Amino acid sequence: MNANETQNPGETERIIADELQRLLESPMFTRSPVLSRLLQFLVDHRLRGGRSAPKAYAIATEALGRSADFDPAVDSYPRVMVGRLRSLLDRYYAETPWVHRLRVPQGSYEVVVQHRAGPPTRPAEGTPGDIPAAPGVLPLAQMVPPPGAVRAARRRGLWLLCLLLLCAGLFAAWKLAGGARLFGVAPVPMPVLEISPPQAGDSPIAKAIARALDGKLRDGMRRFELIDLRSAKRPGAAEPASPVDYRLDSLIVRTEEGPVEVTLVLI
């Protein structure tokens, strides 16, 4: 008799029969008919008064459906299946509070009863309990931060968000107000560059090149926003609101051989 078992044989048999019924009705064993038959066979052998554990041959032929010519010396199927039954029992009782449980000790085919003083206390729902953690994993109570730490983290996040919004607003105001003007510093005026347009007497090629240069210059200058680029005023147009700081003229010469020379003159 196992050291954990009660000294009353009748009480032990009642516990084994009750536990067998609960196990066979559980979803784990319902989904494992082969292991259910194996457990039933081992328990029946015990309750019939078997003085020793059943043999591997009897397990294979009577519980696992092997033929009469089964040879346990060359086929480890009974040992493998009893190992799986042992693991399934451990899984079931790991998820179920128990005072008495059935066990199949390692290296044996005998069903025994294990006792303990009382079922483990379960923590209240929604609170971390004393659940042992796997190796290398923090316990659940250490993984859940206290409420005060959560509130402090939220406050820090809110202050950081407000600071970022303030910085974004100041930068937008600085851009709209012309940069340094926001801080009381007079901005440096942007120089005005006037480009001479194609003249009426220019050849079509010269006019095309002049227009191309004008477009390229405008694209480049506008990208950097360092110079206010403006075309020369047409005859009869009103005077510009701001004086011109520089004038850019293009001198286009076409030689007899065909090449075109372009000279830009800053006045």
Side-chain angles (χ1 to χ4, degrees):
M1 181 177 293
N2 185 274
N4 282 328
E5 294 188 5
T6 180
Q7 299 299 319
N8 186 343
E11 178 68 14
T12 300
E13 292 180 358
R14 184 191 65 79
I15 292 173
I16 292 177
D18 291 345
E19 287 299 311
L20 173 65
Q21 187 66 27
R22 277 192 287 269
L23 288 167
L24 295 181
E25 293 175 355
S26 67
M28 286 188 186
F29 279 85
T30 302
R31 293 191 296 265
S32 304
V34 176
L35 296 182
S36 297
R37 290 198 307 270
L38 177 59
L39 178 63
Q40 180 79 60
F41 174 80
L42 296 180
V43 168
D44 289 345
H45 178 83
R46 170 68 187 268
L47 296 181
R48 286 197 302 266
R51 294 183 175 274
S52 60
K55 302 298 183 182
Y57 178 83
I59 293 174
T61 56
E62 298 178 33
L64 299 177
R66 287 296 192 260
S67 59
D69 59 353
F70 176 81
D71 186 357
V74 297
D75 194 338
S76 61
Y77 184 61
R79 178 171 55 82
V80 172
M81 296 306 292
V82 171
R84 293 180 181 175
L85 174 62
R86 189 179 295 118
S87 299
L88 191 61
L89 288 171
D90 291 341
R91 283 176 50 199
Y92 172 82
Y93 287 110
E95 300 177 5
T96 306
W98 56 274
V99 177
H100 314 286
R101 62 156 290 181
L102 300 186
R103 290 184 63 247
V104 180
Q106 195 73 29
S108 171
Y109 296 148
E110 181 183 12
V111 172
V112 299
V113 179
Q114 180 180 350
H115 302 270
R116 65 181 176 192
T121 57
R122 286 190 167 183
E125 186 176 354
T127 60
D130 266 341
I131 303 175
V137 179
L138 288 174
L140 183 60
Q142 298 182 22
M143 296 186 341
V144 178
V150 175
R151 288 193 295 269
R154 288 176 178 172
R155 285 196 298 268
R156 287 194 298 269
L158 184 59
W159 277 109
L160 180 60
L161 178 61
C162 292
L163 181 60
L164 290 176
L165 291 175
L166 178 61
C167 292
L170 288 175
F171 179 75
W174 179 75
K175 291 291 288 183
L176 290 175
R181 192 181 304 132
L182 179 65
F183 301 98
V185 180
V188 178
M190 184 180 296
V192 180
L193 179 64
E194 185 180 74
I195 298 180
S196 176
Q199 303 300 316
D202 290 342
S203 65
I205 295 179
K207 290 181 180 180
I209 294 177
R211 282 193 296 270
L213 286 174
D214 180 72
K216 291 294 183 182
L217 285 172
R218 287 183 184 280
D219 290 341
M221 296 297 183
R222 190 180 299 111
R223 183 177 296 113
F224 295 103
E225 296 184 352
L226 299 176
I227 297 176
D228 184 8
L229 204 62
R230 187 172 62 198
S231 296
K233 64 184 183 65
R234 304 296 180 185
E239 289 294 330
S242 59
V244 176
D245 298 301
Y246 307 98
R247 285 186 174 87
L248 185 65
D249 197 1
S250 58
L251 178 63
I252 303 173
V253 179
R254 184 177 183 184
T255 63
E256 296 179 358
E257 290 78 9
V260 177
E261 295 180 359
V262 180
T263 304
L264 299 181
V265 182
L266 186 63
I267 304 173

